[in-house]
Amino acid sequence: MPLIAEVGWGGLVQAPETITWTDISTYVDVDQQGVTIARGASDELSETQPGTATLLLDNVDGRFTAGNALSPYYPYVRRNAPIRLSVAVMPAKAGSAPYPMAQLADDFDDNRVNTTLWPSNYGGATETGGRARIPVTTAGSAGFLSAREWTLTGSKLTARLVTLPGANGSSVALASMWANSTTSGTRLGWRYNAVTGAITAENQVGFTDAAPTSATYNPRDYAWLRIRESGGTVYWESSGDGWDWTVRRTLATPAWVTSQTLTAEFPTSRTGGTNDFVEWDLVGAEVRPRFWGLVNDWPTRLQGLSSTVLITCTDLFKRLNRRPALRSMLGEEILTLSPMVYFPLTEDSTSTTAGDVGGNGAPSLAITQAGAGGTLALGSADGPTETGEQVPVFTPSTATAGKWLMADLGPQFEDTTVSYLTFEAWFKTTTTGRAIMGVHSLDLVNQHVLSIAAGGTLQIEWTSDGTALTVEAVTSPATLADGNWHHVVYDQREGKVWIDGTLTDSALAVPRRFYERVLHVGGYRGTRLWNGSIGHAVVYATDTYSVGPLITGHYSAGMTGFAGEDADVRIQRLASYASVDSVTISGSTFDPIASQGPGGTQVVARMREVESTESGRLFAERDYYGLAFQSRDLRYNPDPSSEVFTIAYADLETKSVELADDDQKLVNSLEASRPGGATQKVTAPSSIQAFGIYDPGALSILKTSDNSVLDAAYWRVSRYADPAPELREVPIEAYTMSTYLDILDADISSYFSVTSMPAQSPASSMRVTVEGYTETIKEKSHLIQFHTSATNNDSVWVLDDPTYSVLDSTTRLAY
């Protein structure tokens, strides 16, 4: 059960696909300290907590000392370095020959060649440093060769390629992994060519393959290699972590694969150049990820001439919890599209300038006076309905006397405007013939203005030669000067305009690619001064693609806060605000969610609101940089076949087991409400009569109807008005169990059963749901303490079902 600990030195956690991982497993203390990992929640009513991991590293040579210029990892021994932990389970040989090739397993950890497994290790091949080390030498071939006792049919050959040979001036330098037939030169496998840097998937006959599948080797994709046969097809697969595999080639299974007993071989050869070696490891390993996250710090402990570093690590939630409070949903939607400049115009009434939050360092918009009189009051009017923000009020004396906002955005902006531009803004007015926003070059040769025509419709004005502005009328509603908030998007690249989320014109003939740098908002060059409010003025550069269609949803963001979208969609939307692209959605029951439009809270807090509203589960994945969101129906009435494993009571790693029968979860009275809805109450009279009132306090959730709130309250009370005795902690020494791999597959919301319970138990078998776990990984030990709940808490009524229609027991209506 080798531990695999890898650090992505210098890698960007937000770009996990670009990380190159370095194995530091040999420095981890698994003999004494062990590796401790905590994940999930203590019970089903608690929020999942950020996952953590703790490792003690041998630092005798200072390689893990932050700031040590002599470290081979310098300067990347630093906080927030990506880290991932896995265990490699080595299958045991069972049955009689010929054995499935998946049982050919060797971790090479004792530095002695297993001559039973590898009766022919030739050319100086050794087991060194916990790996199979095979010379790549001009002296002749070298390699590890197994006994002829294996079959590939319905099985696989897996290995980790750890150290590559170099070209070293050779004309030929090869390292391979083969499943050999009884005919010399007829074989399937992978081959690395150090001279070309290519990794090839080959089906050789007579030592050649006329059409191998070739790729340039990189450890992110090809650190692990395997050949697998299933259902009449051979698969060549590769992986960066030994867990997530990608098919690189397929082939109809050759006849010899199903009819012959095979050998496995790892040979090398070199012609000319300088000798070196290749290293393979973990042949046959089944990898199970246990943790993916960030190293919090690298505290160096000095004891005499020895040194250790005890690192603590936290999963993806560490990064999410560090993020600042979100802007409004509208603001976050804009920022995800990486605007050139974004002026929300949400400064308070004491401000005299308005800043860019697009992140490109643009100057602020300054209040600018035209003529005499008029006012511009920042932070004085309610913005679009669901933003919860205040925006400016422009009140000119006349169209040419008053104040507007202006800034020279500088040469950087001007250089960028060689791209196509897309403009976006919100506006509100009852006055026609005024300018919303405009841009121009310093010499006024290039100009571009969005304005309201005298008739109340939208128009675009432009010049590219410094002459009078050409007016391009835009098909739009009869009047936009109706005193209501409106949203406009003008996509210069596509010649399209969207108003209030609807495409209104798609055939504009405005010239494109202007060089411009001076931005005006609420007027243009001291004329057509705006009378009303403007918010969220944005300019995008869209040289390679059009953002217009992506912006149309911003109208819903501002006016409804996406109220009514399903919870799974909301979670993915919120994750995108934190630059998390990967969210695994499980289950199918997701209710509509109310608006979370206004800003001011962190992304995790908003996700937790959705999680609580749905009675779902949100947590970080343990095998990659991503989130998982599970609906409540994922736990409904599990089929026995969905259990990941079963374990006898006598095999639990404890001298005593406690069946909890307390009032920790008891709820028989619950008051619930939603934003803008009624406050409602659900009770369980028989429970109140028996135990008294147990009310956890008011429940406020983001439902969109009173009936949904009532359903949620009923669901809670019906489950916990009289909870049955349950197992809440199940400790297992997984390493010693024949179901080790199955136990490692158990994760949050998985099921398993504890069987053969003592006669004093309420049942001979008790099924539990995993809510979380704490595990300690040591040499030949893997103790997992599962935090569990009673699975039947989530059972729902099925008509005429012998199990799920028992009166007063399993007749709970699904929610």
Side-chain angles (χ1 to χ4, degrees):
M1 180 212 64
L3 171 77
I4 304 173
E6 298 168 294
V7 177
W9 303 114
L12 300 177
V13 67
Q14 67 272 25
E17 70 282 355
T18 66
I19 295 174
T20 298
W21 297 92
T22 299
D23 191 335
I24 64 166
S25 306
T26 56
Y27 301 97
V28 180
D29 178 6
V30 291
D31 294 322
Q32 301 297 322
Q33 176 83 17
V35 175
T36 301
I37 298 171
R39 177 173 170 78
S42 59
D43 59 61
E44 75 273 33
L45 299 180
S46 302
E47 290 181 350
T48 55
Q49 298 301 304
T52 61
T54 303
L55 303 79
L56 183 66
L57 305 176
D58 182 354
N59 189 43
V60 68
D61 60 357
R63 67 179 51 230
F64 300 115
T65 299
N68 179 13
L70 298 179
S71 167
Y73 314 131
Y74 179 83
Y76 299 118
V77 181
R78 61 192 185 191
R79 65 190 71 84
N80 298 324
I83 187 170
R84 65 185 185 188
L85 305 174
S86 304
V87 293
V89 180
M90 309 307 296
K93 186 189 290 186
S96 56
Y99 305 99
M101 196 166 272
Q103 293 181 6
L104 195 167
D106 198 340
D107 59 15
F108 305 106
D109 276 355
D110 60 4
N111 291 325
R112 293 180 299 174
V113 175
N114 183 335
T115 54
T116 301
L117 195 61
W118 311 104
S120 177
N121 57 303
Y122 55 94
T126 63
E127 188 171 307
T128 304
R131 294 165 180 172
R133 177 173 294 182
I134 305 170
V136 185
T137 171
T138 57
S141 296
F144 274 63
L145 177 64
S146 77
R148 187 170 294 281
E149 58 181 3
W150 307 100
T151 177
L152 188 60
T153 305
S155 194
K156 59 193 175 185
L157 173 62
T158 305
R160 186 186 188 193
L161 179 53
V162 181
T163 303
L164 298 175
N168 300 344
S170 301
S171 59
V172 175
L174 303 173
S176 307
M177 166 181 134
W178 300 110
N180 295 321
S181 78
T182 56
T183 301
S184 180
T186 298
R187 53 191 183 176
L188 296 168
W190 288 93
R191 182 164 70 178
Y192 173 71
N193 186 329
V195 175
T196 64
I199 184 82
T200 52
E202 302 195 22
N203 170 41
Q204 291 192 350
V205 176
F207 295 104
T208 62
D209 182 347
T213 298
S214 179
T216 300
Y217 177 86
N218 72 77
R220 290 188 296 274
D221 297 324
Y222 294 93
W224 291 79
L225 304 170
R226 77 180 180 192
I227 318 156
R228 179 172 61 90
E229 199 283 335
S230 178
T233 301
V234 175
Y235 300 86
W236 285 258
E237 297 166 311
S238 71
S239 173
D241 59 5
W243 165 251
D244 187 17
W245 294 89
T246 300
V247 175
R248 304 297 180 180
R249 182 183 181 182
T250 61
L251 182 75
T253 303
W256 62 265
V257 171
T258 57
S259 62
Q260 297 179 9
T261 301
L262 315 180
T263 63
E265 186 175 14
F266 294 83
T268 66
S269 62
R270 182 183 292 278
T271 301
T274 304
N275 299 336
D276 58 7
F277 56 84
V278 65
E279 289 183 321
W280 297 87
D281 197 6
L282 299 174
V283 172
E286 291 280 356
V287 175
R288 293 296 184 270
R290 307 310 296 168
F291 181 84
W292 204 112
L294 306 170
V295 179
N296 297 331
D297 57 1
W298 299 87
T300 301
R301 296 178 176 180
L302 302 174
Q303 297 174 311
L305 297 179
S306 67
S307 175
T308 57
V309 175
L310 182 66
I311 61 172
T312 58
C313 317
T314 310
D315 67 16
L316 170 58
F317 276 99
K318 172 184 172 67
R319 184 177 178 85
L320 297 184
N321 281 322
R322 287 204 317 269
R323 296 186 68 90
L326 294 177
R327 307 188 70 87
S328 66
M329 294 187 82
L330 171 59
E332 294 296 335
E333 290 289 317
I334 292 170
L335 290 172
T336 59
L337 296 179
S338 302
M340 288 172 63
V341 291
Y342 170 30
F343 294 94
L345 307 179
T346 54
E347 285 79 4
D348 63 33
S349 59
T350 63
S351 298
T352 57
T353 56
D356 164 51
V357 298
N360 295 316
S364 298
L365 292 170
I367 297 177
T368 307
Q369 180 73 51
T375 61
L376 198 171
L378 292 167
S380 298
D382 291 337
T385 308
E386 282 299 321
T387 63
E389 297 165 331
Q390 299 291 298
V391 295
V393 175
F394 299 77
T395 311
S397 297
T398 67
T400 57
K403 299 179 180 181
W404 83 104
L405 295 166
M406 184 179 72
D408 180 349
L409 300 178
Q412 180 180 355
F413 181 90
E414 186 175 27
D415 291 344
T416 307
T417 57
V418 69
S419 302
Y420 300 106
L421 299 181
T422 295
F423 300 89
E424 176 181 13
W426 288 76
F427 59 89
K428 179 180 180 181
T429 188
T430 57
T431 306
T432 61
R434 304 299 173 95
I436 303 168
M437 63 190 298
V439 290
H440 64 75
S441 58
L442 287 178
D443 58 9
L444 297 179
V445 169
N446 296 311
Q447 300 181 54
H448 221 115
V449 185
L450 274 68
S451 62
I452 301 294
T457 57
L458 185 72
Q459 62 185 17
I460 296 170
E461 304 166 70
W462 59 272
T463 180
S464 59
D465 58 11
T467 59
L469 294 175
T470 298
V471 177
E472 180 85 9
V474 175
T475 302
S476 63
T479 180
L480 297 172
D482 57 5
N484 296 316
W485 277 108
H486 292 287
H487 177 239
V488 62
V489 177
Y490 166 47
D491 188 332
Q492 190 189 65
R493 179 186 180 88
E494 297 294 321
K496 295 178 180 179
V497 171
W498 290 261
I499 296 176
D500 297 344
T502 300
L503 180 65
T504 59
D505 203 325
S506 59
L508 300 181
V510 180
R512 303 164 183 176
R513 295 179 181 260
F514 290 11
Y515 289 88
E516 299 156 323
R517 63 185 274 177
V518 181
L519 175 66
H520 300 256
V521 175
Y524 186 66
R525 299 180 58 217
T527 64
R528 291 181 287 166
L529 300 177
W530 191 257
N531 186 13
S533 292
I534 297 176
H536 303 280
V538 196
V539 182
Y540 304 87
T542 55
D543 191 37
T544 56
Y545 67 98
S546 177
V547 299
L550 304 177
I551 302 174
T552 57
H554 293 186
Y555 181 70
S556 294
M559 297 303 291
T560 70
F562 297 114
E565 70 180 355
D566 287 347
D568 57 329
V569 177
R570 178 66 56 81
I571 285 289
Q572 292 174 89
R573 184 183 302 282
L574 293 172
S576 73
Y577 298 165
S579 301
V580 177
D581 298 325
S582 179
V583 183
T584 301
I585 302 296
S586 301
S588 58
T589 300
F590 297 101
D591 285 357
I593 295 293
S595 167
Q596 293 174 290
T601 56
Q602 289 186 310
V603 65
V604 173
R606 293 200 190 188
M607 289 180 173
R608 293 300 188 191
E609 289 178 339
V610 178
E611 177 189 31
S612 173
T613 296
E614 283 296 282
S615 295
R617 268 293 186 240
L618 176 72
F619 52 92
E621 297 281 12
R622 62 184 177 183
D623 60 329
Y624 67 98
Y625 181 80
L627 294 171
F629 182 56
Q630 300 174 340
S631 72
R632 58 186 177 274
D633 75 315
L634 187 70
R635 300 183 173 206
Y636 290 171
N637 302 351
D639 186 274
S641 64
S642 66
E643 290 186 344
V644 290
F645 66 93
T646 62
I647 186 168
Y649 166 80
D651 290 328
L652 298 185
E653 192 66 20
T654 181
K655 294 180 180 179
S656 64
V657 170
E658 181 175 308
L659 293 172
D661 184 25
D662 52 31
D663 59 3
Q664 175 180 315
K665 300 179 182 180
L666 201 153
V667 175
N668 54 30
S669 176
L670 184 61
E671 195 172 90
S673 62
R674 66 181 179 92
T679 298
Q680 303 171 94
K681 190 172 187 176
V682 173
T683 63
S686 61
S687 175
I688 292 174
Q689 184 177 17
F691 310 117
I693 294 178
Y694 280 79
D695 190 332
L699 177 67
S700 179
I701 50 180
L702 299 175
K703 296 295 186 181
T704 57
S705 73
D706 291 342
N707 283 342
S708 293
V709 173
L710 200 62
D711 289 343
Y714 170 79
W715 176 247
R716 177 75 175 273
V717 171
S718 66
R719 293 163 75 205
Y720 300 109
D722 186 12
E726 64 178 355
L727 287 170
R728 293 182 184 163
E729 298 291 332
V730 181
I732 302 173
E733 176 48 82
Y735 179 74
T736 62
M737 302 299 297
S738 61
T739 54
Y740 186 21
L741 280 172
D742 296 327
I743 295 170
L744 293 182
D745 287 338
D747 201 358
I748 297 166
S749 297
S750 295
Y751 312 100
F752 66 88
S753 287
V754 180
T755 62
S756 304
M757 295 288 292
Q760 299 89 344
S761 302
S764 61
S765 178
M766 301 187 74
R767 182 183 292 175
V768 295
T769 301
V770 176
E771 304 298 344
Y773 56 80
T774 300
E775 60 184 322
T776 300
I777 305 168
K778 292 187 175 183
E779 184 68 24
K780 299 188 183 303
S781 173
H782 195 159
L783 180 62
I784 306 179
Q785 178 96 9
F786 286 105
H787 314 312
T788 61
S789 64
T791 302
N792 62 11
N793 286 339
D794 296 296
S795 64
V796 297
W797 178 51
V798 178
L799 181 64
D800 294 332
D801 187 276
T803 301
Y804 297 110
S805 62
V806 180
L807 187 64
D808 293 330
S809 177
T810 57
T811 52
R812 183 184 303 119
L813 295 176
Y815 152 58

